[in-house]
Amino acid sequence: MSACVPAGTTDSAHTEQAHPPHSPPPGRRRRFRVAGADLSAAVAVFLIALPLSLGIALATGAPLQAGLVAAAVGGIVAGRLGGSPLQVSGPAAGLTVVTADLIHQYGWRTTCAITVLAGLAQLGLGCLRVARGALAVSPAIVHGMLAGIGVTIAVAQVHIVLGGEPQSSVPDNLRALPAQLARLDPAALTVSVLTLAALVLWPRLPGRAGRLLRRVPTALVAVAGTTAVAAAAGLALPVVDLPSWRSHALAGLPEGPVLGLVAAVLTTTLVCSVQSLLGAVAVDKLASARPGARTVIRSDLDRELLGQGTANIVSGSLGGLPVAGVAVRSTANVHAGAVSRNSTMIHGVLVVAAALLLVPLLELIPLASLATLVMAVGIRMVSLHHIRTVTRHREVLVYVVTALGVISFGVLEGVALGIAVAVGVALHRLTRTRIAHTEDSGVHHVHVRGQLTFLAVPRLSRALHLVPQGADAVVTLDGSFMDHAAYEALQDWQSTHTARGGTVEITGRRAGVRIAEPGSLAPGPASGAESSGAAGDCRCRPWTAWRNHQCDRPAPGPEAEPDATAVSGAAQQPAGPGAPPRRRTPGSRQLVRGLSTFQRRTAPLVRDELARLAREGQRPSQLFLTCADSRVVTSMITSSGPGDLFVVRNVGNLVPPPGAESGDDSVAAAIEYAVDVLAVRSITVCGHSGCGAMQALLGSRPASPAATPLGRWLRHGGPSLERLHDTGTPAPRLAGRAPADDIEQLCLTNVVQQLEHLRAHESVARALKEGALELHGLYFHVGEAQAYLLTEQEGERVFDRVREVDLAV
């Protein structure tokens, strides 16, 4: 079978279980079954899609039936053949400007032919398997394109909202706006205001009744409500006009200049493909983040292109608008609980039924109501979240240029301008290097920001030669690349400076640079030079200033000089007049190095936040109880910072039950303080792999454990050991694999048992009863760097793998 045929038999993204490979073939074909969740999701999506499809068709200037055709084809064809089972396709607001421009230039029948050709181009791209390449487009360009399209849509629809007719471009619409304001249509304005009020207020209905009413889609409420008001009041307004399907215009042969038609096909292909592929990725993230979600199969992006291309061929041939993945409908589909592609297909069937049976009702809808709905969609396409994101990543120039280009010249021209600016910004960042020299308490700091290439060597040399002979120097490299010329210049200067009595410390986020020997700089793999000696075993990583013991040089002998790279200039000064230089042990050097790095690099970044916490006091949201093992770094595995976690650590992450023999009130006091005073909302008990306390409980250490403080403490782990040996209680397990050994099984069991001890504490029991507290079990596998969260699955306690999910989408 050709790889280009999106056949149903090759459904790699199907959410149903495959037929067992070694079972006998079924005797007869299984009947088509629909899950209840899919049916309810299909109805919810249909109620959103119906008014939006008519509104987008109105905004483009196409026949209104074209929106219904595209919605039906997108649901049935793209839903059946596409690679993203939960994504809903149809006429998209992102294509409004492109389609409106095509209709204005070439007419409707040629626009349908362009849609067919764009579908063929998408089939070709799907066959070439280049779908992942489309995701390489800068998000600033994509968001800028959508923002420009949103502004264009909103400005055009304002004229219909006010009772007039839109012009062909944004500048023309803006110039015509004063005249339109002078001849307002009161009836159209009234309907528009009512529609906008419903769109704004309906999602904010308060109380329990509001929660129930909000289940009805906002778009349906706005359009249906204003339609009812207009009909009851007898307002004379332009309404939806759906001519007979017998007179519906189908695609014709393309007519126009060849270059113009090629550009139109490329533009339609680009916008349809990028919007659909980005939507498929976003839908995957939404589905993975759903409560109780298990394994979610990722979308097959190449197959999604094939499905979208087929849908565009069918839609264009039947006289429909271009089809693409639609964010609003896809989000509603996921949130409504859809579990397979059946929901998308059923929604398409419902659109067909409405187009055939509900024409009298649809023809009551005022055009001003649909225009207000589409205007609101256009305004939402200018996302403040996206603006903040591109600003944080210093790509606001790319965003603004792309948006203005789309508004002023068109989608293809705007995207081309955005790509040109993005390339220019990337080149500028690659070649721009900022080098600063400062002096603080006798220590000279040379801070290099940006990529260190041969172009920056002259400025680097000037800055380094500002450091006096014999002085203490710190060179901070804040970049990700250093070429050989820069490396040679830095190494030569360091050798010369240390030979004349000075000290040099080289730090920064470049993982490829480290001190190999006193007076020498050893490059890492990124620089291309060889490293020698024990420095080749360095395990430093660029994600943190931390350095473990693998990065240290052997401790110097009793007569050796202090380590120049580990202590600052101030630390090497005599303690007093005539006093000899202070010598530091390897342990103290490591402590001073860490403290010095914190003061120099981290403290300036967190000082404002810590000052705020010092003023306002701590307000952590979680109590995190875990083992004292040095390999479990709570702030790292939870991505938390100052003020986020109230942490209790002890050997074995044990929670002594209230009144236990040889009890330890320190843990109970921490629990009481966290729940009653700090009012934390959750408590997490975190175990980990290779726990020494669990090994001791299993008898791997000498007997008579009660003879020492450690042995007396480990008595609190006895109930976990009893639970492990209790054959009547189902043992907790890991999702996807069995525990590696008895130690890992005891680690899992211990987390469950300590949660039971937690529930016995009075403050915890009271907060749980009031619904103010949640308990979580967590298992961290050190060797895998993988967290497993305790869940309930079919009456069993299962530690399920925590996956990479963007909860912000």
Side-chain angles (χ1 to χ4, degrees):
M1 179 181 291
S2 171
C4 300
V5 179
T9 56
T10 60
D11 189 357
S12 62
H14 203 281
T15 56
E16 296 179 359
Q17 294 183 351
H19 182 67
H22 301 295
S23 63
R28 59 180 180 179
R29 188 178 181 87
R30 295 176 59 188
R31 291 186 301 172
F32 177 73
R33 295 183 179 179
V34 178
D38 282 335
L39 186 58
S40 61
V43 173
V45 174
F46 160 72
L47 295 177
I48 296 173
L50 191 62
L52 277 177
S53 301
L54 293 172
I56 291 172
L58 172 67
T60 61
L64 296 185
Q65 295 101 319
L68 300 177
V69 171
V73 172
I76 298 173
V77 178
R80 180 66 187 91
L81 303 179
S84 181
L86 301 183
Q87 176 164 247
V88 181
S89 300
L95 290 161
T96 302
V97 175
V98 177
T99 310
D101 187 54
L102 294 179
I103 295 173
H104 178 73
Q105 290 189 40
Y106 303 108
W108 172 241
R109 293 170 65 86
T110 298
T111 299
C112 292
I114 291 172
T115 302
V116 173
L117 294 175
L120 292 172
Q122 286 181 297
L123 286 181
L125 293 175
C127 291
L128 294 175
R129 298 187 178 277
V130 297
R132 286 284 171 187
L135 301 181
V137 179
S138 169
I141 296 175
V142 176
H143 298 325
M145 177 189 74
L146 295 177
I149 292 172
V151 171
T152 305
I153 293 172
V155 172
Q157 297 310 298
V158 165
H159 286 270
I160 303 179
V161 167
L162 299 176
E165 293 290 334
Q167 306 300 314
S168 60
S169 65
V170 174
D172 292 340
N173 279 315
L174 292 176
R175 282 192 293 267
L177 191 56
Q180 182 62 58
L181 290 173
R183 55 176 190 274
L184 290 175
D185 184 341
L189 184 60
T190 301
V191 169
S192 300
V193 170
L194 290 176
T195 305
L196 190 60
L199 291 174
V200 173
L201 299 179
W202 189 260
R204 294 173 172 80
L205 292 177
R208 182 177 300 177
R211 286 197 299 271
L212 294 175
L213 292 173
R214 287 198 301 268
R215 295 182 180 179
V216 182
T218 304
L220 179 67
V221 171
V223 174
T226 53
T227 300
V229 170
L235 297 178
L237 287 168
V239 295
V240 169
D241 182 17
L242 294 175
S244 172
W245 286 101
R246 296 178 182 177
S247 61
H248 179 60
L250 303 180
L253 293 176
E255 298 178 359
V258 175
L259 291 179
L261 292 174
V262 170
V265 172
L266 290 178
T267 304
T268 306
T269 304
L270 170 69
V271 179
C272 287
S273 301
V274 171
Q275 182 165 344
S276 299
L277 295 176
L278 293 177
V281 174
V283 166
D284 286 346
K285 294 178 181 179
L286 284 174
S288 299
R290 284 192 298 193
R294 301 185 184 180
T295 301
V296 177
I297 300 177
R298 295 293 180 184
S299 296
D300 184 341
L301 297 184
D302 292 307
R303 176 176 171 174
E304 181 66 15
L305 264 185
L306 296 173
Q308 294 291 337
T310 306
N312 273 314
I313 293 173
V314 176
S315 180
S317 301
L318 297 179
L321 292 170
V323 170
V326 188
V328 175
R329 278 162 263 180
S330 300
T331 302
N333 193 39
V334 174
H335 288 170
V339 295
S340 74
R341 63 180 70 246
N342 291 336
S343 64
T344 303
M345 297 167 61
I346 295 172
H347 128 267
V349 173
L350 292 176
V351 172
V352 173
L356 296 176
L357 304 177
L358 300 181
V359 171
L361 292 178
L362 297 178
E363 289 185 332
L364 296 175
I365 300 175
L367 295 183
S369 179
L370 293 179
T372 306
L373 177 63
V374 176
M375 183 184 70
V377 173
I379 293 173
R380 292 194 188 105
M381 291 173 71
V382 186
S383 170
L384 293 178
H385 170 70
H386 292 158
I387 294 174
R388 285 193 293 265
T389 300
V390 298
T391 303
R392 186 168 61 249
H393 291 283
R394 296 183 298 171
E395 292 185 329
V396 68
L397 178 62
V398 179
Y399 178 92
V400 171
V401 169
T402 305
L404 292 178
V406 170
I407 293 170
S408 303
F409 306 110
V411 174
L412 189 60
E413 294 84 353
V415 170
L417 283 174
I419 292 174
V421 173
V423 171
V425 169
L427 292 175
H428 174 72
R429 290 176 179 172
L430 182 62
T431 57
R432 185 189 181 196
T433 305
R434 289 175 291 177
I435 303 174
H437 169 265
T438 59
E439 181 184 357
D440 184 15
S441 302
V443 180
H444 290 259
H445 297 266
V446 177
H447 194 172
V448 181
R449 291 192 177 115
Q451 319 313 319
L452 199 51
T453 66
F454 67 94
L455 296 173
V457 167
R459 286 182 291 135
L460 176 65
S461 298
R462 285 195 295 269
L464 293 176
H465 282 86
L466 293 176
V467 180
Q469 294 184 11
D472 301 319
V474 176
V475 179
T476 302
L477 303 178
D478 191 357
S480 59
F481 176 76
M482 175 193 295
D483 70 3
H484 193 73
Y487 161 70
E488 290 285 354
L490 190 54
Q491 184 189 41
D492 292 344
W493 172 82
Q494 186 188 26
S495 300
T496 302
H497 189 72
T498 53
R500 295 177 179 177
T503 63
V504 178
E505 178 185 359
I506 297 180
T507 65
R509 287 187 283 182
R510 260 193 48 79
V513 176
R514 56 181 178 269
I515 304 295
E517 300 174 357
S520 68
L521 176 71
S527 64
E530 295 182 359
S531 59
S532 60
D537 295 328
C538 180
R539 299 180 186 176
C540 295
R541 293 295 182 265
W543 45 265
T544 179
W546 161 79
R547 291 188 170 207
N548 66 10
H549 64 281
Q550 300 290 341
C551 300
D552 291 334
R553 296 192 303 278
E559 303 300 325
E561 290 297 319
D563 186 344
T565 67
V567 294
S568 64
Q572 297 182 53
Q573 299 302 318
R582 290 179 289 184
R583 298 292 189 265
R584 297 188 184 274
T585 63
S588 67
R589 285 201 300 273
Q590 185 176 4
L591 174 63
V592 172
R593 174 194 296 163
L595 294 174
S596 175
T597 301
F598 167 79
Q599 293 299 146
R600 182 173 63 255
R601 294 179 50 194
T602 309
L605 302 177
V606 301
R607 186 169 285 120
D608 291 343
E609 177 65 13
L610 290 177
R612 183 188 67 80
L613 291 172
R615 292 192 307 269
E616 301 176 1
Q618 62 169 330
R619 297 177 182 176
S621 60
Q622 302 180 53
L623 167 59
F624 199 88
L625 197 149
T626 188
C627 185
D629 194 293
S630 63
R631 298 167 296 179
V632 180
V633 185
T634 57
S635 59
M636 181 174 68
I637 65 177
T638 59
S639 299
S640 56
D644 292 338
L645 300 181
F646 188 71
V647 181
V648 175
R649 306 188 68 148
N650 60 49
V651 176
N653 48 275
L654 301 177
V655 182
E661 181 183 359
S662 302
D664 187 331
D665 286 340
S666 66
V667 178
I671 294 171
E672 180 181 351
Y673 184 77
V675 175
D676 292 343
V677 179
L678 298 178
V680 296
R681 296 187 295 274
S682 70
I683 302 179
T684 301
V685 177
C686 176
H688 67 94
S689 61
C691 181
M694 299 302 103
Q695 296 178 31
L697 283 175
L698 284 173
S700 60
R701 294 188 177 181
S704 303
T708 65
L710 177 61
R712 288 192 293 274
W713 169 254
L714 289 179
R715 282 181 174 178
H716 300 302
S720 300
L721 195 60
E722 295 173 3
R723 189 186 191 105
L724 176 69
H725 297 313
D726 184 2
T727 58
T729 303
R733 61 181 178 86
L734 291 170
R737 68 173 178 88
D741 49 30
D742 290 343
I743 296 176
E744 185 168 52
Q745 182 64 72
L746 182 55
C747 292
L748 303 176
T749 303
N750 182 57
V751 171
V752 175
Q753 185 62 40
Q754 301 314 312
L755 288 173
E756 295 295 331
H757 290 177
L758 262 177
R759 292 185 179 93
H761 284 262
E762 180 182 356
S763 57
V764 174
R766 183 175 60 254
L768 288 174
K769 184 178 180 180
E770 295 171 354
L773 184 66
E774 295 179 351
L775 300 185
H776 302 288
L778 185 66
Y779 175 71
F780 182 71
H781 194 289
V782 176
E784 297 175 357
Q786 177 63 55
Y788 295 82
L789 196 61
L790 181 62
T791 62
E792 293 279 348
Q793 296 182 11
E794 299 178 356
E796 290 186 289
R797 290 183 172 91
V798 180
F799 286 85
D800 201 1
R801 179 187 297 266
V802 178
R803 299 168 181 83
E804 300 176 4
V805 177
D806 187 358
L807 297 178
V809 173

PDB file of all heavy atoms in Angstrom, residues 251-272:
ATOM      1  N   ALA A 251     -16.962  23.921  -7.620  1.00  0.00           N
ATOM      2  CA  ALA A 251     -15.666  24.384  -8.121  1.00  0.00           C
ATOM      3  C   ALA A 251     -15.659  24.409  -9.638  1.00  0.00           C
ATOM      4  O   ALA A 251     -16.277  23.570 -10.307  1.00  0.00           O
ATOM      5  CB  ALA A 251     -14.554  23.472  -7.610  1.00  0.00           C
ATOM      6  N   GLY A 252     -14.940  25.390 -10.198  1.00  0.00           N
ATOM      7  CA  GLY A 252     -14.748  25.478 -11.635  1.00  0.00           C
ATOM      8  C   GLY A 252     -13.272  25.486 -11.964  1.00  0.00           C
ATOM      9  O   GLY A 252     -12.411  25.444 -11.068  1.00  0.00           O
ATOM     10  N   LEU A 253     -12.936  25.532 -13.232  1.00  0.00           N
ATOM     11  CA  LEU A 253     -11.540  25.593 -13.628  1.00  0.00           C
ATOM     12  C   LEU A 253     -10.944  26.928 -13.199  1.00  0.00           C
ATOM     13  O   LEU A 253     -11.583  27.973 -13.325  1.00  0.00           O
ATOM     14  CB  LEU A 253     -11.421  25.424 -15.145  1.00  0.00           C
ATOM     15  CG  LEU A 253     -11.805  24.049 -15.698  1.00  0.00           C
ATOM     16  CD1 LEU A 253     -11.731  24.054 -17.222  1.00  0.00           C
ATOM     17  CD2 LEU A 253     -10.901  22.959 -15.117  1.00  0.00           C
ATOM     18  N   PRO A 254      -9.720  26.920 -12.656  1.00  0.00           N
ATOM     19  CA  PRO A 254      -9.116  28.177 -12.192  1.00  0.00           C
ATOM     20  C   PRO A 254      -8.865  29.144 -13.341  1.00  0.00           C
ATOM     21  O   PRO A 254      -8.394  28.751 -14.400  1.00  0.00           O
ATOM     22  CB  PRO A 254      -7.803  27.715 -11.551  1.00  0.00           C
ATOM     23  CG  PRO A 254      -7.518  26.384 -12.145  1.00  0.00           C
ATOM     24  CD  PRO A 254      -8.839  25.759 -12.453  1.00  0.00           C
ATOM     25  N   GLU A 255      -9.189  30.380 -13.094  1.00  0.00           N
ATOM     26  CA  GLU A 255      -8.993  31.418 -14.091  1.00  0.00           C
ATOM     27  C   GLU A 255      -8.222  32.571 -13.458  1.00  0.00           C
ATOM     28  O   GLU A 255      -8.571  33.030 -12.377  1.00  0.00           O
ATOM     29  CB  GLU A 255     -10.339  31.926 -14.617  1.00  0.00           C
ATOM     30  CG  GLU A 255     -11.173  30.866 -15.325  1.00  0.00           C
ATOM     31  CD  GLU A 255     -12.515  31.410 -15.777  1.00  0.00           C
ATOM     32  OE1 GLU A 255     -12.781  32.607 -15.504  1.00  0.00           O
ATOM     33  OE2 GLU A 255     -13.284  30.654 -16.390  1.00  0.00           O
ATOM     34  N   GLY A 256      -7.182  33.043 -14.152  1.00  0.00           N
ATOM     35  CA  GLY A 256      -6.393  34.143 -13.635  1.00  0.00           C
ATOM     36  C   GLY A 256      -4.933  33.963 -13.975  1.00  0.00           C
ATOM     37  O   GLY A 256      -4.523  32.935 -14.561  1.00  0.00           O
ATOM     38  N   PRO A 257      -4.073  34.916 -13.619  1.00  0.00           N
ATOM     39  CA  PRO A 257      -2.643  34.809 -13.898  1.00  0.00           C
ATOM     40  C   PRO A 257      -2.023  33.630 -13.160  1.00  0.00           C
ATOM     41  O   PRO A 257      -2.367  33.364 -11.995  1.00  0.00           O
ATOM     42  CB  PRO A 257      -2.078  36.140 -13.398  1.00  0.00           C
ATOM     43  CG  PRO A 257      -3.103  36.662 -12.439  1.00  0.00           C
ATOM     44  CD  PRO A 257      -4.416  36.168 -12.935  1.00  0.00           C
ATOM     45  N   VAL A 258      -1.123  32.932 -13.842  1.00  0.00           N
ATOM     46  CA  VAL A 258      -0.553  31.710 -13.278  1.00  0.00           C
ATOM     47  C   VAL A 258       0.194  31.993 -11.985  1.00  0.00           C
ATOM     48  O   VAL A 258       0.032  31.276 -10.981  1.00  0.00           O
ATOM     49  CB  VAL A 258       0.373  31.033 -14.314  1.00  0.00           C
ATOM     50  CG1 VAL A 258       1.058  29.825 -13.691  1.00  0.00           C
ATOM     51  CG2 VAL A 258      -0.417  30.629 -15.547  1.00  0.00           C
ATOM     52  N   LEU A 259       1.040  33.024 -11.977  1.00  0.00           N
ATOM     53  CA  LEU A 259       1.806  33.321 -10.774  1.00  0.00           C
ATOM     54  C   LEU A 259       0.893  33.674  -9.604  1.00  0.00           C
ATOM     55  O   LEU A 259       1.139  33.284  -8.461  1.00  0.00           O
ATOM     56  CB  LEU A 259       2.781  34.466 -11.045  1.00  0.00           C
ATOM     57  CG  LEU A 259       3.940  34.153 -11.995  1.00  0.00           C
ATOM     58  CD1 LEU A 259       4.824  35.380 -12.187  1.00  0.00           C
ATOM     59  CD2 LEU A 259       4.769  32.985 -11.456  1.00  0.00           C
ATOM     60  N   GLY A 260      -0.182  34.402  -9.900  1.00  0.00           N
ATOM     61  CA  GLY A 260      -1.117  34.732  -8.839  1.00  0.00           C
ATOM     62  C   GLY A 260      -1.805  33.499  -8.280  1.00  0.00           C
ATOM     63  O   GLY A 260      -1.987  33.374  -7.062  1.00  0.00           O
ATOM     64  N   LEU A 261      -2.177  32.580  -9.159  1.00  0.00           N
ATOM     65  CA  LEU A 261      -2.820  31.350  -8.694  1.00  0.00           C
ATOM     66  C   LEU A 261      -1.848  30.493  -7.882  1.00  0.00           C
ATOM     67  O   LEU A 261      -2.232  29.894  -6.868  1.00  0.00           O
ATOM     68  CB  LEU A 261      -3.351  30.555  -9.895  1.00  0.00           C
ATOM     69  CG  LEU A 261      -4.530  31.188 -10.653  1.00  0.00           C
ATOM     70  CD1 LEU A 261      -4.857  30.379 -11.895  1.00  0.00           C
ATOM     71  CD2 LEU A 261      -5.752  31.294  -9.745  1.00  0.00           C
ATOM     72  N   VAL A 262      -0.589  30.428  -8.317  1.00  0.00           N
ATOM     73  CA  VAL A 262       0.418  29.653  -7.568  1.00  0.00           C
ATOM     74  C   VAL A 262       0.608  30.243  -6.172  1.00  0.00           C
ATOM     75  O   VAL A 262       0.667  29.513  -5.170  1.00  0.00           O
ATOM     76  CB  VAL A 262       1.747  29.617  -8.344  1.00  0.00           C
ATOM     77  CG1 VAL A 262       2.858  29.037  -7.465  1.00  0.00           C
ATOM     78  CG2 VAL A 262       1.598  28.801  -9.614  1.00  0.00           C
ATOM     79  N   ALA A 263       0.703  31.578  -6.107  1.00  0.00           N
ATOM     80  CA  ALA A 263       0.846  32.213  -4.800  1.00  0.00           C
ATOM     81  C   ALA A 263      -0.376  31.953  -3.923  1.00  0.00           C
ATOM     82  O   ALA A 263      -0.250  31.726  -2.702  1.00  0.00           O
ATOM     83  CB  ALA A 263       1.060  33.721  -4.981  1.00  0.00           C
ATOM     84  N   ALA A 264      -1.557  31.962  -4.515  1.00  0.00           N
ATOM     85  CA  ALA A 264      -2.777  31.699  -3.746  1.00  0.00           C
ATOM     86  C   ALA A 264      -2.784  30.282  -3.196  1.00  0.00           C
ATOM     87  O   ALA A 264      -3.149  30.043  -2.038  1.00  0.00           O
ATOM     88  CB  ALA A 264      -4.000  31.942  -4.627  1.00  0.00           C
ATOM     89  N   VAL A 265      -2.377  29.316  -4.025  1.00  0.00           N
ATOM     90  CA  VAL A 265      -2.326  27.917  -3.570  1.00  0.00           C
ATOM     91  C   VAL A 265      -1.313  27.760  -2.444  1.00  0.00           C
ATOM     92  O   VAL A 265      -1.566  27.090  -1.429  1.00  0.00           O
ATOM     93  CB  VAL A 265      -2.001  26.989  -4.755  1.00  0.00           C
ATOM     94  CG1 VAL A 265      -1.750  25.566  -4.254  1.00  0.00           C
ATOM     95  CG2 VAL A 265      -3.148  26.993  -5.759  1.00  0.00           C
ATOM     96  N   LEU A 266      -0.138  28.385  -2.604  1.00  0.00           N
ATOM     97  CA  LEU A 266       0.892  28.279  -1.569  1.00  0.00           C
ATOM     98  C   LEU A 266       0.423  28.908  -0.261  1.00  0.00           C
ATOM     99  O   LEU A 266       0.650  28.350   0.826  1.00  0.00           O
ATOM    100  CB  LEU A 266       2.176  28.958  -2.044  1.00  0.00           C
ATOM    101  CG  LEU A 266       2.936  28.253  -3.173  1.00  0.00           C
ATOM    102  CD1 LEU A 266       4.170  29.068  -3.571  1.00  0.00           C
ATOM    103  CD2 LEU A 266       3.361  26.851  -2.746  1.00  0.00           C
ATOM    104  N   THR A 267      -0.233  30.056  -0.350  1.00  0.00           N
ATOM    105  CA  THR A 267      -0.727  30.707   0.865  1.00  0.00           C
ATOM    106  C   THR A 267      -1.757  29.840   1.572  1.00  0.00           C
ATOM    107  O   THR A 267      -1.693  29.640   2.789  1.00  0.00           O
ATOM    108  CB  THR A 267      -1.346  32.072   0.519  1.00  0.00           C
ATOM    109  OG1 THR A 267      -0.375  32.872  -0.169  1.00  0.00           O
ATOM    110  CG2 THR A 267      -1.795  32.790   1.779  1.00  0.00           C
ATOM    111  N   THR A 268      -2.720  29.337   0.817  1.00  0.00           N
ATOM    112  CA  THR A 268      -3.754  28.487   1.425  1.00  0.00           C
ATOM    113  C   THR A 268      -3.133  27.228   2.032  1.00  0.00           C
ATOM    114  O   THR A 268      -3.498  26.810   3.137  1.00  0.00           O
ATOM    115  CB  THR A 268      -4.808  28.105   0.366  1.00  0.00           C
ATOM    116  OG1 THR A 268      -5.315  29.285  -0.252  1.00  0.00           O
ATOM    117  CG2 THR A 268      -5.951  27.337   0.997  1.00  0.00           C
ATOM    118  N   THR A 269      -2.196  26.618   1.319  1.00  0.00           N
ATOM    119  CA  THR A 269      -1.532  25.413   1.833  1.00  0.00           C
ATOM    120  C   THR A 269      -0.782  25.713   3.115  1.00  0.00           C
ATOM    121  O   THR A 269      -0.849  24.947   4.094  1.00  0.00           O
ATOM    122  CB  THR A 269      -0.563  24.854   0.780  1.00  0.00           C
ATOM    123  OG1 THR A 269      -1.269  24.606  -0.433  1.00  0.00           O
ATOM    124  CG2 THR A 269       0.087  23.576   1.268  1.00  0.00           C
ATOM    125  N   LEU A 270      -0.045  26.834   3.134  1.00  0.00           N
ATOM    126  CA  LEU A 270       0.743  27.193   4.308  1.00  0.00           C
ATOM    127  C   LEU A 270      -0.140  27.400   5.529  1.00  0.00           C
ATOM    128  O   LEU A 270       0.096  26.798   6.590  1.00  0.00           O
ATOM    129  CB  LEU A 270       1.541  28.470   4.013  1.00  0.00           C
ATOM    130  CG  LEU A 270       2.252  29.123   5.209  1.00  0.00           C
ATOM    131  CD1 LEU A 270       3.386  28.240   5.680  1.00  0.00           C
ATOM    132  CD2 LEU A 270       2.769  30.514   4.848  1.00  0.00           C
ATOM    133  N   VAL A 271      -1.172  28.223   5.389  1.00  0.00           N
ATOM    134  CA  VAL A 271      -1.997  28.542   6.552  1.00  0.00           C
ATOM    135  C   VAL A 271      -2.758  27.307   7.028  1.00  0.00           C
ATOM    136  O   VAL A 271      -2.812  27.013   8.236  1.00  0.00           O
ATOM    137  CB  VAL A 271      -2.966  29.693   6.223  1.00  0.00           C
ATOM    138  CG1 VAL A 271      -3.849  30.011   7.423  1.00  0.00           C
ATOM    139  CG2 VAL A 271      -2.187  30.934   5.812  1.00  0.00           C
ATOM    140  N   CYS A 272      -3.346  26.561   6.093  1.00  0.00           N
ATOM    141  CA  CYS A 272      -4.082  25.343   6.482  1.00  0.00           C
ATOM    142  C   CYS A 272      -3.166  24.348   7.187  1.00  0.00           C
ATOM    143  O   CYS A 272      -3.527  23.778   8.231  1.00  0.00           O
ATOM    144  CB  CYS A 272      -4.699  24.684   5.249  1.00  0.00           C
ATOM    145  SG  CYS A 272      -6.111  25.545   4.541  1.00  0.00           S
TER     146      CYS A 272
END
